[in-house]
Amino acid sequence: MKRKLIAAIGVTAMMAGVAACGADSGNASKDPKERDETLTVWLMNDAESTWPELVKDVNAQFKKKYPNVKVKVQYQQWGDKAKKLDTALGGTKFPDVVELGNTETMTYILNGALAEIDPKKYDNSDTWIEGLKDTCTFEGKQFCVPYYAGARVAILNTEMFDKATGSKELPQTEAGLKKALAKVQQKYGSDPAFSSLYLPGRYWYAAMSYVAAYGGQIAEYDEGKKEWKATLSSPEAQRGIKHFVDLVKTYNKADKTKDEQDHANVMANEKAALLYGNGWEAGRVVEGEEGNPKLDGKIATAGMPGPNGKPLPSFIGGSDLAVIGKSKVTDLGEEWIAMFTSEKSQEVLASKNILPNNTKQLEPLKSNPETAPIANAVPDAWFTPIAPGWTAVETKLILPNMLLDIIKGTPVEEATKKADQQIDDLINNEA
């Protein structure tokens, strides 16, 4: 995949823009206790809501070594982070360390925004999960550090399933699941806001899993033309999208036009018996400000059954951490990331059912009943196109808007053709 990207863009043009490593203030050789700069870190709000103790612990470790360096952690929202970062990078006030969704990273590498890093400085870099490592790699050089991975799985209220079907287990086939969902809906459906399966209509990660299940893709690389071409209007992709929309219309009794941002909250409010989400969101259903502690012990994860008797292919998402190339404290940024992604830190994430960034720590999770569905989803997972314009495709909300049109009545054939045209206009362009 990476070789295709290189061919598509042109090596010379890209490398001219890649930032040089080590643009520090010249203070790197000083005694750590004499350093007095400020390190600004942008993390996404997931860290603030779900693993704040890890951030606090790492900052304490950092302060112990650099007592006079001020670390400013600023939490961002996924909805507007890319625009804010683009604006910041064009000015003088920008973060030194930034968390990037691993579908965004390549765009910033190609823009020359990220500093090259030395993998040897990071724990378990020799066993980083290959798909995650690829999102940080260009021309054999590393420009970011895999932070965590997330594979989507079924998240179910076992008590509801038990009372409705006589079993706490999720059926392993989609046919069996549909029968179970019908019983759950019959049991709890007197509440008009209750969904046996809460599947938001604009949830494009879920929709694309069904596309993958039918052998489709969002886009393919044309070796002859040396460019990416959108393929959502292919018969395979259309079958997957139709399948997804049928599930939404059949089982989601709430607002079908929403996205997945609050679906854990919906389950916490006992308005849903089943979600398709990141494994760590099971904890969010029970814990945190919006969690429901009464559901403790009743929420479980399982592999999501897909069409044709097979498990549903899962999107392997997650985040990377990078140092901004024009930061004056790149060495401090690298060291903070090293602490934040250390083996000890990854253990904290794994304890919350979040996949670690390396296969060494992933392996034991495959046999743990709580984490096995997530860990075992990694080998069959799919990934978004590693294309130069992919971030723009996401920023323009082309996929969720396509799904919204279909939910509102636009034929799948018409909506996918329009989406393909929009993707083709962006996917080969460097931002």
Side-chain angles (χ1 to χ4, degrees):
M1 188 71 77
K2 182 159 58 72
R3 287 196 298 273
K4 293 176 180 177
L5 176 65
I6 294 168
I9 302 169
V11 175
T12 302
M14 285 193 294
M15 290 312 294
V18 173
C21 170
D24 59 56
S25 59
N27 292 330
S29 59
K30 284 186 176 179
D31 186 308
K33 290 182 172 52
E34 294 179 0
R35 301 289 294 268
D36 60 357
E37 301 99 315
T38 295
L39 179 72
T40 301
V41 178
W42 278 19
L43 289 179
M44 302 312 299
N45 60 314
D46 305 306
E48 182 180 29
S49 63
T50 311
W51 49 94
E53 73 276 22
L54 176 59
V55 180
K56 185 178 179 181
D57 180 61
V58 167
N59 283 341
Q61 293 177 46
F62 196 83
K63 189 172 183 61
K64 190 173 182 180
K65 182 171 182 178
Y66 298 99
N68 298 312
V69 172
K70 184 177 182 181
V71 178
K72 292 170 59 179
V73 177
Q74 299 172 341
Y75 293 102
Q76 308 296 326
Q77 305 288 329
W78 285 111
D80 63 357
K81 190 263 303 191
K83 285 185 179 178
K84 287 179 66 176
L85 180 59
D86 292 345
T87 300
L89 291 174
T92 57
K93 294 183 178 180
F94 47 83
D96 301 293
V97 172
V98 63
E99 176 182 346
L100 297 165
N102 55 16
T103 63
E104 302 173 321
T105 310
M106 189 55 68
T107 295
Y108 290 98
I109 293 174
L110 299 179
N111 283 345
L114 309 183
E116 185 183 346
I117 58 98
D118 180 358
K120 295 177 181 175
K121 295 181 178 179
Y122 303 92
D123 284 0
N124 295 314
S125 59
D126 56 339
T127 61
W128 279 341
I129 293 172
E130 201 63 32
L132 303 180
K133 181 181 176 182
D134 281 350
T135 67
C136 288
T137 307
F138 174 69
E139 286 276 274
K141 297 180 179 179
Q142 204 76 23
F143 293 91
C144 54
V145 177
Y147 171 15
Y148 67 85
R152 284 168 171 79
V153 292
I155 301 173
L156 68 152
N157 183 317
T158 57
E159 183 180 65
M160 286 181 171
F161 270 79
D162 191 23
K163 288 184 177 180
T165 70
S167 173
K168 295 181 179 179
E169 304 294 324
L170 194 74
Q172 296 184 4
T173 66
E174 195 179 61
L177 176 61
K178 287 179 176 179
K179 290 179 182 176
L181 290 175
K183 292 180 180 178
V184 173
Q185 194 67 41
Q186 186 176 20
K187 177 75 174 176
Y188 296 95
S190 59
D191 179 351
F194 177 82
S195 302
S196 54
L197 168 60
Y198 183 74
L199 194 59
R202 285 194 291 145
Y203 189 5
W204 70 268
Y205 291 109
M208 294 305 110
S209 284
Y210 287 95
V211 167
Y214 281 95
Q217 299 181 64
I218 300 171
E220 292 180 344
Y221 188 73
D222 187 323
E223 292 284 0
K225 295 182 179 179
K226 306 298 182 189
E227 65 181 20
W228 288 87
K229 183 74 175 173
T231 53
L232 289 172
S233 56
S234 71
E236 295 86 358
Q238 287 184 354
R239 277 198 289 274
I241 293 169
K242 287 177 181 176
H243 192 111
F244 166 77
V245 172
D246 286 344
L247 293 174
V248 173
K249 290 183 174 179
T250 302
Y251 297 106
N252 183 6
K253 304 302 179 185
D255 184 351
K256 297 175 176 59
T257 66
K258 296 182 72 174
D259 62 23
E260 77 281 12
Q261 293 300 316
D262 71 342
H263 64 182
N265 182 247
V266 172
M267 178 170 269
N269 286 317
E270 301 182 72
K271 300 296 183 183
L274 179 65
L275 303 176
Y276 180 59
N278 285 297
W280 53 265
E281 290 180 285
R284 183 176 284 182
V285 173
V286 180
E287 302 165 351
E289 291 184 3
E290 297 182 341
N292 182 353
K294 294 179 181 177
L295 296 179
D296 189 22
K298 301 175 183 176
I299 304 300
T301 60
M304 186 72 171
N308 304 316
K310 298 180 180 178
L312 185 65
S314 176
F315 168 70
I316 183 166
S319 284
D320 300 320
L321 290 163
V323 178
I324 297 300
K326 60 182 182 180
S327 165
K328 299 298 183 186
V329 288
T330 53
D331 64 315
L332 296 179
E334 277 201 81
E335 191 152 355
W336 190 90
I337 293 174
M339 292 179 181
F340 199 59
T341 59
S342 69
E343 184 165 325
K344 178 184 173 186
S345 295
Q346 294 288 306
E347 286 176 359
V348 175
L349 297 181
S351 72
K352 296 176 180 293
N353 292 347
I354 300 163
L355 297 182
N357 65 2
N358 63 89
T359 56
K360 175 186 172 184
Q361 291 178 278
L362 177 70
E363 198 59 33
L365 302 185
K366 293 181 179 179
S367 55
N368 181 331
E370 285 192 7
T371 54
I374 316 163
N376 287 315
V378 171
D380 296 323
W382 60 274
F383 197 74
T384 54
I386 306 179
W390 179 251
T391 298
V393 173
E394 288 199 25
T395 302
K396 296 290 185 182
L397 303 176
I398 292 172
L399 295 178
N401 287 340
M402 173 195 73
L403 294 169
L404 181 61
D405 288 344
I406 295 169
I407 292 292
K408 289 183 174 180
T410 302
V412 171
E413 292 77 7
E414 181 182 332
T416 54
K417 185 177 179 181
K418 177 183 174 183
D420 276 355
Q421 291 171 343
Q422 293 173 322
I423 293 171
D424 286 342
D425 287 340
L426 297 170
I427 196 167
N428 293 295
N429 302 333
E430 290 183 65

